[in-house]
């Protein structure tokens, strides 16, 4: 993975990414917040960075652990040469409207199935984006 390229990206480069395609495609089928998150500048949210990472990688499988509303998987699927597999322990009904040929949604704990071990080990990028609030109770 071109880690140096990812680590050296600037806010100006991220802010130049055109996010309008996904915002326009999914704003009607998702909550009103969807379009605002995809409009935010870099540093306010992570969707521009995920889009950049997707376009930096090519021909890879990317894991998205914690599907929730599917927005991260949409950003990670920008590069159609990549495959995104998104895992969540709960069925997330909002992803039914996401029609991207390179995204696969799985309802399972990725760690509960030993056959996922090879998948985990071969992925150059894994987004761990699970239940955020539980961390704040530990601090």
């Amino acid at each position: 993975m071109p880690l140096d390229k990812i680590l050296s990206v600037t806010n100006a480069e991220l802010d130049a990414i055109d996010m309008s395609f996904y915002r326009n495609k999914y704003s009607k089928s998702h909550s009103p917040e969807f379009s605002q998150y995809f409009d935010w500048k870099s540093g306010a949210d992570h969707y521009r960075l995920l889009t950049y990472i997707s376009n930096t990688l090519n021909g890879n499988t990317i894991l998205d652990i914690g599907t929730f509303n599917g927005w991260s998987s949409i950003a990670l699927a920008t590069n159609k040469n990549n495959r995104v597999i998104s895992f969540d322990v709960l069925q997330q009904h909002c992803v039914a409207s996401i029609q991207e040929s390179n995204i696969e949604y799985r309802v399972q704990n990725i760690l509960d199935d030993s056959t996922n071990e090879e998948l985990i080990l071969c992925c150059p990028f894994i987004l761990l984006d699970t239940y955020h609030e539980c961390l704040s109770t530990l601090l």
Side-chain angles (χ1 to χ4, degrees):
M1 177 159 93
L3 187 58
D4 290 341
K5 185 175 180 183
I6 293 170
L7 293 175
S8 64
V9 67
T10 66
N11 284 350
E13 289 174 289
L14 293 175
D15 291 340
I17 296 171
D18 182 7
M19 304 291 283
S20 63
F21 174 77
Y22 289 111
R23 181 190 66 235
N24 295 338
K25 184 173 182 179
Y26 291 110
S27 62
K28 291 184 178 108
S29 60
H30 279 72
S31 65
E33 297 89 25
F34 177 82
S35 60
Q36 83 178 23
Y37 287 121
F38 274 67
D39 283 337
W40 284 358
K41 298 295 183 194
S42 59
D45 218 308
H46 62 298
Y47 300 110
R48 288 180 185 275
L49 178 59
L50 295 178
T51 300
Y52 179 83
I53 290 170
S54 174
N55 286 302
T56 302
L57 301 172
N58 197 37
N60 289 283
T61 297
I62 300 171
L63 296 182
D64 173 28
I65 313 300
T67 304
F68 189 51
N69 53 28
W71 300 348
S72 293
S73 64
I74 290 171
L76 288 169
T78 303
N79 181 345
K80 299 304 179 193
N81 293 321
N82 293 324
R83 176 181 175 211
V84 176
I85 304 174
S86 185
F87 289 85
D88 204 298
V89 295
L90 300 173
Q91 177 67 47
Q92 301 297 338
H93 298 287
C94 57
V95 300
S97 64
I98 297 174
Q99 302 298 316
E100 300 300 324
S101 61
N102 61 330
I103 301 176
E104 176 186 344
Y105 293 103
R106 296 185 185 177
V107 179
Q108 73 178 113
N109 181 334
I110 190 171
L111 299 176
D112 285 348
D113 185 345
S114 63
T115 62
N116 289 326
E117 183 177 343
E118 186 176 327
L119 179 63
I120 293 167
L121 293 174
C122 77
C123 288
F125 185 80
I126 300 172
L127 175 64
L128 181 60
D129 191 12
T130 60
Y131 190 59
H132 307 165
E133 286 73 19
C134 68
L135 180 60
S136 65
T137 62
L138 298 174
L139 301 176

